[in-house]
């Protein structure tokens, strides 16, 4: 439907352009034809005046007195008994000047009309393409979300049916309950991330406030301390003093939490995480560096895509593919960017580049 509408709109724009070009050509041609008509009328008047002079001796004796009022645009001159009739050159220049002025007026009006038409066409095309991208993104998001929800739900259904069987050993029952708990955690994480993504559009409209990045980062790290210990991981925070930015606490917190949780979840065993905050004149840099398995170079351009999951084998809790997408989206909402340095087998370093207060 969208392609058909774009095709029809393209035809209409083409017809309008053709009509505009024809309109400019017609008006300029009419202006030239009108000027030629006036020149031809002057020639006819000259011939008429010359005929009257030749046919009437009284007129020939005083052509200006007899014909001057009738033909004000003619000039009469005598050379002996010969009377010459010429067109006033000032009148010819005036006709040419008016013709040029009229042609330029029509040309400028036509070009202005074409410029407005093209500007409107560009705006409508950009709006149409934006709508098409939005529809495509919405369809991809819904398809991805449906798939991500469907996988743990199908797993939970299978585990529930298995638990309902008679004669199931206690050890198997405990193992199945553990897997069910992991699926529930995955569903909860997916729901939270989808809600965060749907709410992130509101962040751009919220009022900004002055944030102490050292304090905000410390609060988030304290909240995650239990999660770090439960996963046998270690976290260290190094920072400069007096690091401020104008921003929003919610998207900043979501981005930093996702980076740390991502570092833990995508490591097959306990990981060491170093968080560093460095003050800059225009940009601050907050880096989350780990000694995990790293990210292959071929995947580094895709890990920020929506629903792209690069989870590794050996980790029970698979990612939803929304964490890093939310990191980039939330940091861009704050006017910053995300940088990645990673080498397979040597860990990863994600850097949040944040605008300094007053920059």
């Amino acid at each position: 439907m969208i392609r058909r509408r774009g095709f029809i709109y393209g035809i209409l724009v083409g017809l309008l352009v053709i009509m505009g070009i024809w309109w400019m050509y017609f008006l300029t041609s009419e202006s030239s034809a009108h000027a030629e008509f006036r020149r031809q009328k002057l020639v006819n008047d000259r011939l008429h005046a010359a005929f009257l002079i030749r046919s009437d001796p009284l007129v020939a004796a005083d052509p200006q007195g007899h014909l001057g009022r009738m033909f004000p645009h003619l000039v009469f001159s005598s050379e002996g008994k010969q009377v010459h009739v010429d067109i006033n050159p000032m009148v010819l220049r005036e006709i040419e000047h008016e013709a040029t002025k009229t042609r330029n007026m029509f040309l400028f009006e036509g070009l202005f009309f074409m410029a407005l038409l093209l500007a409107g066409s560009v705006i409508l095309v950009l709006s149409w393409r934006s709508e098409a991208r939005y529809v495509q993104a919405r369809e991809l998001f819904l398809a991805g979300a449906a798939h991500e929800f469907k996988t743990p739900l199908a797993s939970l259904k299978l585990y529930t049916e298995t638990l309902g069987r008679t004669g199931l050993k206690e050890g198997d029952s405990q193992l199945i309950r553990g897997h069910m708990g992991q699926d529930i955690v995955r569903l909860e994480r997916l729901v939270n991330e989808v809600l965060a993504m749907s709410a992130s559009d509101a962040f751009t409209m919220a009022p900004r406030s002055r944030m102490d990045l050292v304090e905000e980062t410390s609060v988030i790290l304290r909240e995650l301390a239990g999660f770090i210990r439960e996963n046998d991981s270690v976290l260290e925070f190094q920072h400069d003093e007096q690091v401020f930015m104008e921003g929003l606490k919610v998207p900043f917190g979501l981005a930093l939490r996702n980076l740390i949780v991502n570092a833990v979840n995508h490591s097959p065993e306990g990981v060491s995480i170093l968080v560093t905050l460095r003050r800059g004149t225009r940009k601050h840099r907050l880096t989350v560096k780990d000694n995990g398995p790293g990210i292959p170079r071929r995947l580094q351009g895709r890990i920020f895509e929506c629903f792209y999951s690069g989870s590794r084998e050996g980790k029970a809790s698979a990612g939803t593919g929304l964490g890093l997408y939310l990191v980039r989206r939330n940091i861009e909402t704050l006017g910053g960017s995300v940088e990645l340095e990673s080498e397979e087998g040597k860990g990863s370093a994600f850097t949040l580049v944040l605008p300094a207060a007053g920059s």
Side-chain angles (χ1 to χ4, degrees):
M1 180 64 185
I2 294 178
R3 290 184 178 180
R4 183 183 303 174
R5 185 170 57 187
F7 178 72
I8 294 174
Y9 175 72
I11 293 177
L12 292 176
V13 170
L15 291 175
L16 286 174
V17 170
I18 293 173
M19 185 183 71
I21 294 174
W22 176 85
W23 178 66
M24 286 191 295
Y25 172 76
F26 173 76
L27 291 179
T28 52
S29 299
E30 283 293 305
S31 175
S32 299
H34 180 67
E36 184 62 28
F37 171 77
R38 292 182 64 185
R39 285 192 291 266
Q40 188 61 45
K41 184 178 182 301
L42 291 177
V43 173
N44 292 336
D45 289 346
R46 176 177 174 273
L47 294 175
H48 187 196
F51 172 76
L52 294 175
I53 292 171
R54 287 196 302 268
S55 62
D56 192 339
L58 292 176
V59 175
D62 185 14
Q64 184 65 41
H66 290 84
L67 302 178
R69 300 179 65 181
M70 185 184 303
F71 303 107
H73 43 273
L74 298 180
V75 176
F76 303 96
S77 60
S78 300
E79 187 178 341
K81 294 182 178 181
Q82 188 72 22
V83 179
H84 297 284
V85 182
D86 298 303
I87 301 173
N88 190 338
M90 294 291 293
V91 176
L92 291 175
R93 284 195 293 269
E94 182 182 353
I95 292 175
E96 187 62 33
H97 175 72
E98 290 182 0
T100 302
K101 183 179 178 181
T102 304
R103 282 196 301 269
N104 290 339
M105 181 184 68
F106 290 147
L107 181 62
F108 290 147
E109 287 180 354
L111 291 176
F112 181 71
F113 168 76
M114 297 294 292
L116 287 179
L117 177 62
L118 291 176
S121 300
V122 170
I123 293 173
L124 289 177
V125 167
L126 292 177
S127 300
W128 172 71
R129 291 182 62 183
S130 177
E131 180 185 0
R133 287 195 297 267
Y134 170 76
V135 172
Q136 183 182 19
R138 183 183 62 184
E139 291 176 352
L140 290 174
F141 172 77
L142 292 176
H147 174 75
E148 291 296 331
F149 278 114
K150 185 177 180 180
T151 301
L153 286 174
S155 178
L156 286 171
K157 180 180 178 182
L158 178 62
Y159 289 145
T160 302
E161 293 174 352
T162 304
L163 285 176
R165 297 177 183 175
T166 58
L168 187 66
K169 296 181 179 180
E170 183 62 26
D172 294 337
S173 177
Q174 291 293 335
L175 182 63
I176 290 174
R177 289 191 180 92
H179 289 318
M180 292 178 70
Q182 294 170 3
D183 286 334
I184 292 173
V185 171
R186 183 180 179 186
L187 276 174
E188 182 182 15
R189 185 186 309 153
L190 180 61
V191 169
N192 290 335
E193 289 179 339
V194 170
L195 290 175
M197 186 166 64
S198 63
S200 63
D201 289 335
F203 296 154
T204 58
M205 305 298 294
R208 306 294 174 101
S209 60
R210 188 176 179 87
M211 295 171 49
D212 185 340
L213 290 181
V214 175
E215 180 182 350
E216 295 299 327
T217 303
S218 300
V219 170
I220 293 169
L221 298 185
R222 285 195 296 269
E223 293 175 357
L224 293 174
F227 171 77
I228 297 295
R229 287 194 301 269
E230 291 174 2
N231 287 272
D232 299 323
S233 299
V234 178
L235 189 145
E236 181 182 357
F237 181 33
Q238 299 176 358
H239 60 84
D240 294 338
E241 299 296 335
Q242 303 295 318
V243 186
F244 297 97
M245 70 170 288
E246 296 289 337
L248 300 166
K249 295 182 180 181
V250 175
F252 171 77
L254 287 172
L256 182 55
R257 286 189 187 90
N258 273 319
L259 284 181
I260 296 174
V261 171
N262 210 54
V264 174
N265 287 337
H266 288 274
S267 298
E269 54 188 16
V271 63
S272 295
I273 301 174
L274 174 62
V275 179
T276 58
L277 177 60
R278 297 298 177 229
R279 184 179 67 251
T281 304
R282 297 180 61 86
K283 300 286 184 180
H284 304 314
R285 301 177 67 86
L286 177 61
T287 301
V288 178
K289 184 177 182 180
D290 64 66
N291 63 347
I295 302 171
R297 186 175 298 274
R298 68 180 186 279
L299 302 180
Q300 292 181 16
R302 299 189 58 193
I303 59 173
F304 292 101
E305 296 177 4
C306 185
F307 288 114
Y308 178 79
S309 177
S311 58
R312 295 178 172 270
E313 296 180 359
K315 192 67 178 175
S317 179
T320 63
L322 283 175
L324 292 178
Y325 173 79
L326 283 172
V327 169
R328 184 180 66 177
R329 183 166 176 174
N330 287 327
I331 294 303
E332 288 177 349
T333 297
L334 297 174
S337 61
V338 183
E339 298 176 357
L340 168 63
E341 293 182 8
S342 183
E343 185 176 348
E344 194 169 7
K346 296 185 179 181
S348 303
F350 289 87
T351 300
L352 307 182
V353 183
L354 302 166
S359 63

